[in-house]
Amino acid sequence: MAEPICCGDYLVERVPVEEERQKLEIEEVYTAQITPQQTARALQFASKMLPRLDGLEHVKRIKRETGDTVLHVILCQCKALDRDQLDGRLRDTEWADLDIAVGRVPTTPPYTREQFDEWRTLWPVAYRPLVKLKAPSFSDDEKAYIQMCLRRVEELQEGAASGRSVAAAIGNPNTRQVVAEARDATAESGNPLRHAVLCCISLVAEREVAREADRAQKRPASPPETGGGGDGGYLCDSMDVFTTREPCVMCSMALVHSRIGRLFFIDPSSGGGGISRYSMHSRKQLNHHFVCFQCTRAGKRAL
Amino acid sequence: MSLAGPEDGSADHREERLRHMTEALRMADEAYEAAEVPVGCVFVLDGEVVGRGRNETNVAKNGTRHAELVAIDRMLAGGFAVADFGRTALYVTVEPCVMCASALRQIGIGEVFYGCANDRFGGCESVLHVNSDADLDGSPYPAEGGYYRDQAILMLRKFYVRENATAPQPRKKAARELKTLDLLL
């Protein structure tokens, strides 16, 4: 895991994505012992006469145990042929007397060094770190902006009268300005869904609707505040969201729908957090992902 | 076999549910006419429709203004008591997304009936099971799809063969055709 980045008072740490949290899954393959001299012919036979390996691009075809004079070659996946079918394909070939065994290989590629070290004890695998898992780096200006926004939501939270005191803000990473901020309004509105994040998203949207109305009436338009993605302010495209508490499942999915770029939260949620429970920032089935950071007050951690 | 809904409960129940789903489809049609993603819903308490909503994401420039959230906000603003959601059923044309599925837990909805599954965002079966997950806050609720499924799908397809000019990168869809042969209408 990458080292946390120090942004003034805060330590900012990227939350792992789904791939980094994956556990080892195993599938079975038929393997055969061959001599090094037989390698080319064995692979040629497998490619012509046996089902192709499906989804195992990360698995090396041949394993050599240290000090061993024989090699273990993967013939095909057990899910592709049963043992009788395999024997049938080998019968009357030069491979009829092969010593066949069932081997275990990782189903998915390793994405982290730790996974690689675990996966390869099973069978040799290739390791290609994902580009998106590269350690993030912030410029000094960006660090100051992140600190400013985190302080802002903490101050806003402390000013809350009562109830669930959660505060959120939306920042524009290009102008490094806060464009919307809100406190949880569930108590005052009597609406259990008026969470701080949803309120912020509404503020951005309402301002955008008003701006469009101004444009339509040819009034001088107020300057665009949204649209970090540079395409004229569609939703919260590429914006940063700062919040004192990890968003719930509803709010996390609202951030996906709003296509934000980055989420910075301070306290983890107990029980209903969209990031900790479902990795909502990085679920493969969803059409949008964002980078997520958990932020700790530097002083707090040292205590 | 019924072409309209699952074979569960009494025929009376199914009739009643389909009648409510017809109202939800009417809301979806209203969304379609307003150039919104055609999803609509009604909330039903003691056999009466007590809330209605349809997608308003484009007009509100807010990707969270889904039919369910629109209806809930209006109901609460109009004096509907949060405590009454527990006795209320939601009828929605498309499986609630993960966001709405969580919102429904948080307001304590009684039960949910929907038309078609939502393969991209669905929170009651397709992507996650937010409605029944034991490890989440809020109250779990039963959710069942298959009520006028094909009608709900047809509406979505009609919408998606049109161009969505407000999408970040609008695609040209002139070559698209409306496919209906697989639907039983």
Side-chain angles (χ1 to χ4, degrees):
Chain A
M1 209 37 241
E3 281 295 296
I5 300 165
C6 189
C7 297
D9 303 343
Y10 298 90
L11 286 173
V12 172
E13 196 169 1
R14 189 176 61 76
V15 178
V17 299
E18 220 186 354
E19 290 93 333
E20 293 167 278
R21 292 179 169 171
Q22 66 170 349
K23 299 273 176 274
L24 176 60
E25 281 177 46
I26 290 168
E27 87 162 86
E28 294 185 327
V29 292
Y30 295 111
T31 66
Q33 281 191 24
I34 56 170
T35 64
Q37 294 74 30
Q38 289 176 307
T39 308
R41 282 207 324 281
L43 290 176
Q44 202 178 15
F45 171 80
S47 81
K48 274 194 185 148
M49 304 301 292
L50 298 175
R52 284 172 60 93
L53 300 189
D54 176 24
L56 292 184
E57 292 75 14
H58 54 286
V59 173
K60 306 233 163 135
R61 195 76 193 229
I62 290 165
K63 171 162 93 167
R64 176 202 288 267
E65 309 270 13
T66 36
D68 227 349
T69 54
V70 293
L71 304 178
H72 301 265
V73 59
I74 296 176
L75 295 175
C76 68
Q77 289 159 289
C78 296
K79 70 178 183 193
L81 288 182
D82 69 27
R83 185 58 203 264
D84 286 345
Q85 291 171 318
L86 176 65
D87 287 343
R89 303 240 183 144
L90 298 176
R91 198 172 301 135
D92 302 327
T93 72
E94 62 174 307
W95 311 102
D97 297 324
L98 272 183
D99 193 357
I100 309 286
V102 170
R104 285 147 49 88
V105 300
T107 311
T108 57
Y111 291 114
T112 66
R113 185 79 216 183
E114 292 74 18
Q115 289 169 355
F116 176 53
D117 288 338
E118 184 188 355
W119 271 217
R120 68 177 172 170
T121 60
L122 210 62
W123 190 272
V125 288
Y127 172 43
R128 294 185 192 85
L130 290 180
V131 177
K132 67 177 172 183
L133 302 187
K134 231 177 61 192
S137 71
F138 302 134
S139 69
D140 286 348
D141 284 353
E142 200 167 18
K143 286 179 183 172
Y145 151 74
I146 291 166
Q147 173 178 239
M148 181 268 287
C149 294
L150 289 170
R151 273 191 185 160
R152 186 100 158 234
V153 291
E154 284 209 300
E155 283 164 15
L156 194 61
Q157 176 194 27
E158 282 157 17
S162 64
R164 285 164 37 106
S165 68
V166 177
I170 296 184
N172 181 330
N174 295 334
T175 63
R176 302 206 171 107
Q177 303 281 318
V178 170
V179 298
E181 58 184 26
R183 276 191 207 124
D184 178 284
T186 53
E188 66 187 76
S189 67
N191 181 336
L193 307 182
R194 298 308 291 155
H195 294 187
V197 164
L198 278 196
C199 293
C200 277
I201 293 171
S202 293
L203 283 173
V204 170
E206 283 159 18
R207 210 167 306 155
E208 193 55 32
V209 169
R211 244 163 44 78
E212 187 148 288
D214 285 353
R215 265 201 302 272
Q217 296 187 13
K218 299 224 163 46
R219 277 188 232 138
S222 40
E225 288 175 292
T226 58
D231 64 5
Y234 178 77
L235 312 181
C236 298
D237 195 9
S238 306
M239 303 299 267
D240 290 331
V241 172
F242 300 85
T243 168
T244 55
R245 194 199 290 174
E246 178 192 345
C248 72
V249 175
M250 171 183 72
C251 290
S252 304
M253 189 65 196
L255 296 176
V256 174
H257 286 315
S258 299
R259 308 194 190 185
I260 68 154
R262 299 183 295 187
L263 167 69
F264 300 80
F265 70 85
I266 298 174
D267 295 323
S269 170
S270 58
I275 306 299
S276 47
R277 178 75 185 103
Y278 290 137
S279 292
M280 290 300 298
H281 60 306
S282 61
R283 287 200 81 87
K284 282 181 222 150
Q285 305 106 306
L286 299 177
N287 66 346
H288 178 77
H289 301 140
F290 54 84
V291 189
C292 180
F293 298 92
Q294 183 169 356
C295 312
T296 331
R297 256 191 185 282
K300 259 190 200 167
R301 176 165 286 218
L303 287 174
Chain B
M1 199 194 100
S2 159
L3 300 183
E7 285 290 317
D8 82 305
S10 68
D12 281 359
H13 265 135
R14 206 173 62 243
E15 286 279 292
E16 194 195 332
R17 289 172 190 168
L18 290 173
R19 203 177 71 237
H20 295 315
M21 193 58 86
T22 308
E23 289 294 304
L25 281 164
R26 197 166 292 160
M27 295 305 293
D29 195 51
E30 189 183 305
Y32 178 83
E33 293 301 327
E36 298 279 359
V37 177
V39 181
C41 71
V42 293
F43 285 80
V44 175
L45 173 62
D46 297 333
E48 298 292 322
V49 172
V50 290
R52 292 168 186 277
R54 50 106 165 152
N55 200 302
E56 299 185 354
T57 55
N58 287 338
V59 66
K61 297 192 180 296
N62 183 340
T64 72
R65 297 313 285 157
H66 289 188
E68 300 93 321
L69 296 195
V70 168
I72 292 168
D73 283 354
R74 290 209 182 121
M75 290 164 74
L76 292 173
F80 189 84
V82 176
D84 286 337
F85 277 113
R87 296 188 296 122
T88 302
L90 165 69
Y91 293 81
V92 56
T93 56
V94 180
E95 178 192 356
C97 79
V98 172
M99 172 183 73
C100 294
S102 169
L104 291 162
R105 255 186 106 106
Q106 298 190 46
I107 57 149
I109 193 76
E111 53 185 344
V112 172
F113 302 98
Y114 56 89
C116 64
N118 181 344
D119 295 334
R120 291 164 70 209
F121 304 125
C124 294
E125 62 165 315
S126 301
V127 175
L128 291 169
H129 291 85
V130 176
N131 63 311
S132 56
D133 187 337
D135 293 340
L136 283 182
D137 293 339
S139 34
Y141 54 89
E144 185 187 21
Y147 292 91
Y148 285 137
R149 167 188 175 272
D150 289 1
Q151 284 80 351
I153 291 176
L154 179 67
M155 236 181 244
L156 290 172
R157 286 190 192 165
K158 266 165 65 187
F159 177 81
Y160 284 111
V161 296
R162 293 199 305 213
E163 287 172 33
N164 180 2
T166 60
Q169 286 127 14
R171 293 184 196 143
K172 289 279 167 237
K173 297 182 178 175
R176 293 214 185 171
E177 281 172 44
L178 182 61
K179 297 192 180 81
T180 55
L181 290 176
D182 56 325
L183 303 177
L184 301 165
L185 295 165

